[in-house]
Amino acid sequence: MATKKQKNWWVYLILFAGILLMLIPLLVTIISSFKTTREITGNFFGLPEEWTLANYLRLFEDGVIQYFGNSALITILAVGLIIAIIPMAAFAIARHMDRKKSFAIMYMLLIIGIFVPFQVIMIPMTKLMSQLGLSNITGLVLLYLAYAVPQTLFLYVGYIKTIVPKDMDEAAAIDGCGKFTMYWRIIFPLMKPMHATVLIINALWVWNDFLLPLLVLNKDQKMWTMPLFQYNYQGMYFSDYGPSFASYVVGIIPILIVYLIFQKNIISGMTSGAVK
């Protein structure tokens, strides 16, 4: 009698094919970063005749550290503010929306932003940021915080209503904890799986985002992020592919490390936060 694994061999075959589809472009990018442009154009999928770090050395000479630092700073600040501020709003809404219509209305108005296409607000947003003098890193971080509210609030509210019982609030109150103390010492630590999920989702978005930095930061080269640098770098050296591939590898490594660290908590956070 065939086992269940033998019957589902085609499932493993599809998964293996999917893994190859994801890994092959990554491996080609990494290998190409150690090849000369002549080797890339002559034998794109082959191994380099001689492994070289010249592409990376040239990349560092062209100031990649500054743009890497800009992206890192923006990502850390934006994700830090998202995780520090939005869960507080989510906790207040989750605890009161069933009893007070004002909280339910506020919640609906905030998450309705999920359905607003970015193209609709792109031009007004750019003009407003320019008029406020926020066409800089500070303004970009605030924009990321604002745009993260709908989806992140939805996830946190669902997680709190599903996973964090109200009995904990009452037990903490009996022990003499105020609202603020109760939230930071009891409720906030209980949301670690959702924190990990939100961190990965938003870190990936902020680190790889191209359009918002293009609209807000493109006027000043010193404030470029890694995607902006890669876009302009490829334009400057359109016939020299080696340094471009090296810049892609440098941009991939940090977010890949963050994902590997927090990936254990992602699935539990996503499934729990999307129940209600």
Side-chain angles (χ1 to χ4, degrees), residues 13 17 19 22 36 40 44 46 48 63 67 74 77-79 99 134 144 146 160-161 177 199 203 225 233 239:
L13 181 62
I19 291 171
M22 290 185 290
T36 63
I40 293 172
F44 184 70
Y67 309 115
I74 291 169
L77 290 176
V79 175
R99 295 182 288 107
L134 289 174
Y144 282 130
I160 293 169
K161 289 175 69 68
C177 290
L199 186 149
T225 59
Y233 196 68
S239 61

Side-chain angles (χ1 to χ4, degrees), residues 7-227:
K7 290 181 179 179
N8 294 336
W9 63 268
W10 56 272
V11 175
Y12 294 97
L13 181 62
I14 293 173
L15 289 174
F16 181 72
I19 291 171
L20 287 180
L21 287 174
M22 290 185 290
L23 288 181
I24 288 175
L26 178 61
L27 290 175
V28 170
T29 300
I30 294 173
I31 292 172
S32 297
S33 69
F34 294 99
K35 296 162 67 174
T36 63
T37 298
R38 180 183 59 81
E39 291 177 322
I40 293 172
T41 54
N43 186 13
F44 184 70
F45 291 101
L47 293 174
E49 297 174 4
E50 183 179 351
W51 297 78
T52 176
L53 293 173
N55 295 325
Y56 290 95
L57 293 176
R58 180 172 172 182
L59 197 64
F60 284 101
E61 289 173 359
D62 291 336
V64 70
I65 293 178
Q66 179 179 355
Y67 309 115
F68 184 94
N70 289 342
S71 281
L73 176 64
I74 291 169
T75 303
I76 292 171
L77 290 176
V79 175
L81 287 174
I82 289 168
I83 294 178
I85 295 174
I86 297 179
M88 288 192 286
F91 178 65
I93 290 172
R95 287 294 188 255
H96 296 92
M97 65 184 299
D98 294 332
R99 295 182 288 107
K100 296 181 180 180
K101 289 185 178 180
S102 58
F103 281 86
I105 293 172
M106 185 189 307
Y107 177 61
M108 293 304 298
L109 290 175
L110 288 171
I111 67 169
I112 204 171
I114 297 174
F115 306 103
V116 179
F118 178 74
Q119 291 80 2
V120 174
I121 58 176
M122 181 172 64
I123 295 176
M125 179 273 298
T126 305
K127 289 184 177 180
L128 179 62
M129 298 302 287
S130 179
Q131 292 171 355
L132 294 175
L134 289 174
S135 295
N136 49 40
I137 290 177
T138 301
L140 184 60
V141 169
L142 293 176
L143 281 176
Y144 282 130
L145 174 61
Y147 286 127
V149 168
Q151 182 187 42
T152 308
L153 186 70
F154 174 76
L155 291 173
Y156 271 116
V157 169
Y159 187 88
I160 293 169
K161 289 175 69 68
T162 306
I163 302 299
V164 185
K166 293 182 179 179
D167 295 343
M168 289 190 174
D169 301 11
E170 298 172 359
I174 292 173
D175 289 338
C177 290
K179 290 286 185 182
F180 188 79
T181 304
M182 173 191 66
Y183 171 77
W184 280 111
R185 291 190 176 181
I186 300 174
I187 305 300
F188 190 81
L190 287 175
M191 294 190 286
K192 283 183 179 179
M194 184 52 65
H195 295 328
T197 303
V198 169
L199 186 149
I200 290 296
I201 291 174
N202 288 285
L204 280 169
W205 165 47
V206 175
W207 181 268
N208 294 317
D209 186 39
F210 172 74
L211 190 54
L212 272 178
L214 178 67
L215 295 172
V216 178
L217 303 179
N218 201 35
K219 294 179 181 179
D220 189 350
Q221 182 176 342
K222 294 180 180 179
M223 293 189 292
W224 281 358
T225 59
M226 278 298 295

